[in-house]
Amino acid sequence: MTRSITLFGIPNCDTVKKARTWLQEQELAFEFHDFKKQGLNRAAIETWLEHQGLDVLINRKGTTWRALSDTEKASAADTEQAIALMLDKPSVIKRPVLLINNDGKSQVNVGFSVPQYQSIFHK
């Protein structure tokens, strides 16, 4: 069985820091993808949306969301426009996004808490 773990986020986000620390403490090999520096592509977001809804993926509590115009906020209800918004302003994505690939099957989780990750990794 081949498993790969990718954690998407930005390094200065406290929740991302906690998730990275937890994964390291559990000695789980993972790749960190800084989507501000390394960017994001449409395919990644589409994969996430196959597993999580827009309501989960878009962080409506963050400063990036609050700074959007009412028109931009309204456009986030439409999948195509929401993808464009996330590509343009990746900070609007709730962090971290955890992508686990097990032999071609993907699992996507958003956010971090110890019980959530314990459940995911059965620790």
Side-chain angles (χ1 to χ4, degrees):
M1 182 166 101
T2 304
R3 175 171 78 173
S4 67
I5 302 169
T6 306
L7 189 73
F8 293 84
I10 55 178
N12 63 339
C13 171
D14 287 340
T15 309
V16 171
K17 287 178 188 176
K18 290 175 187 173
R20 290 175 76 177
T21 298
W22 189 91
L23 290 168
Q24 290 164 347
E25 288 173 349
Q26 305 308 308
E27 299 179 354
L28 292 164
F30 69 98
E31 177 185 335
F32 177 68
H33 183 101
D34 179 344
F35 54 58
K36 281 215 175 171
K37 288 185 181 171
Q38 294 173 265
L40 275 178
N41 61 44
R42 182 179 186 85
I45 294 172
E46 287 173 345
T47 297
W48 301 346
L49 287 170
E50 290 173 12
H51 301 272
Q52 300 289 340
L54 285 173
D55 57 324
V56 173
L57 200 53
I58 293 179
N59 181 4
R60 290 178 169 81
K61 295 178 182 174
T63 56
T64 303
W65 177 262
R66 290 193 300 267
L68 296 176
S69 70
D70 289 341
T71 303
E72 288 173 310
K73 289 177 183 176
S75 74
D78 174 80
T79 301
E80 286 301 313
Q81 291 181 36
I83 291 171
L85 177 66
M86 288 184 270
L87 289 169
D88 185 49
K89 294 177 174 38
S91 293
V92 79
I93 299 169
K94 185 173 181 179
R95 301 177 296 270
V97 176
L98 178 70
L99 172 64
I100 303 169
N101 283 309
N102 278 316
D103 291 327
K105 292 183 180 180
S106 297
Q107 177 183 354
V108 176
N109 295 277
V110 179
F112 170 78
S113 73
V114 171
Q116 174 192 13
Y117 273 42
Q118 285 173 333
S119 172
I120 293 165
F121 293 103
H122 310 291
K123 294 271 180 187

